[in-house]
Amino acid sequence: MEKNIARLRRAKTTRSHIRDLGVARLSVLRSGQHIYAQVFTADGSKVLASASTLQSEVSDGLKGNKNKDAAAKVGQLIAERARAAGIEKVAFDRSGYRYHGRIKALAEAAREGGLQF
């Protein structure tokens, strides 16, 4: 099975479980050059907060955009913006990626920033 198809299959099952929970969803997209994070409403119809390494407040002072430090900075920023939008508790949607490296760094920084998941 192709690698991306398997990842999307895992993401689909995770999202269906999160939909049943009825809480806001913190979704992560990891590309070769950047990392993106968004907080959606429980039904997924509206984006409440977003952060990525494309934004200047994240990329300023970083050595690169595709390392754990950049992911941690995105995690801190998404937690700050979600809390400003009134979101305290989220379900972590890792989009089928394994929980290690950049995904883990983002999640731990978001937890330290005050999000509960």
Side-chain angles (χ1 to χ4, degrees), residues 28-62:
V28 176
L29 175 69
R30 186 189 74 189
S31 73
Q33 296 295 319
H34 297 282
I35 191 160
Y36 310 84
Q38 292 180 324
V39 176
F40 293 97
T41 56
D43 60 353
S45 63
K46 187 176 176 187
V47 176
L48 302 172
S50 65
S52 74
T53 53
L54 289 172
Q55 298 167 340
S56 61
E57 61 252 29
V58 174
S59 61
D60 289 343
L62 290 176

Side-chain angles (χ1 to χ4, degrees), residues 11-33:
K12 186 176 170 183
T13 58
T14 302
R15 288 183 184 137
S16 67
H17 178 71
I18 290 172
R19 202 171 301 118
D20 293 339
L21 293 175
V23 296
R25 173 170 61 109
L26 171 59
S27 182
V28 176
L29 175 69
R30 186 189 74 189
S31 73
Q33 296 295 319

Side-chain angles (χ1 to χ4, degrees), residues 2-117:
E2 190 178 325
K3 194 174 188 178
N4 196 41
I5 292 172
R7 181 187 69 80
L8 293 174
R9 179 183 50 79
R10 287 190 302 269
K12 186 176 170 183
T13 58
T14 302
R15 288 183 184 137
S16 67
H17 178 71
I18 290 172
R19 202 171 301 118
D20 293 339
L21 293 175
V23 296
R25 173 170 61 109
L26 171 59
S27 182
V28 176
L29 175 69
R30 186 189 74 189
S31 73
Q33 296 295 319
H34 297 282
I35 191 160
Y36 310 84
Q38 292 180 324
V39 176
F40 293 97
T41 56
D43 60 353
S45 63
K46 187 176 176 187
V47 176
L48 302 172
S50 65
S52 74
T53 53
L54 289 172
Q55 298 167 340
S56 61
E57 61 252 29
V58 174
S59 61
D60 289 343
L62 290 176
K63 194 172 184 180
N65 288 327
K66 54 184 181 178
N67 54 22
K68 289 182 188 178
D69 296 333
K73 204 161 181 185
V74 170
Q76 291 170 352
L77 187 61
I78 194 70
E80 180 181 305
R81 290 181 178 174
R83 288 176 53 90
I87 304 296
E88 296 288 328
K89 188 171 182 178
V90 296
F92 186 57
D93 176 13
R94 53 190 174 85
S95 301
Y97 301 115
R98 292 192 307 159
Y99 187 80
H100 80 293
R102 293 189 285 165
I103 302 296
K104 185 177 179 181
L106 188 144
E108 289 175 351
R111 280 191 187 105
E112 289 173 6
L115 286 181
Q116 298 174 355
F117 52 94

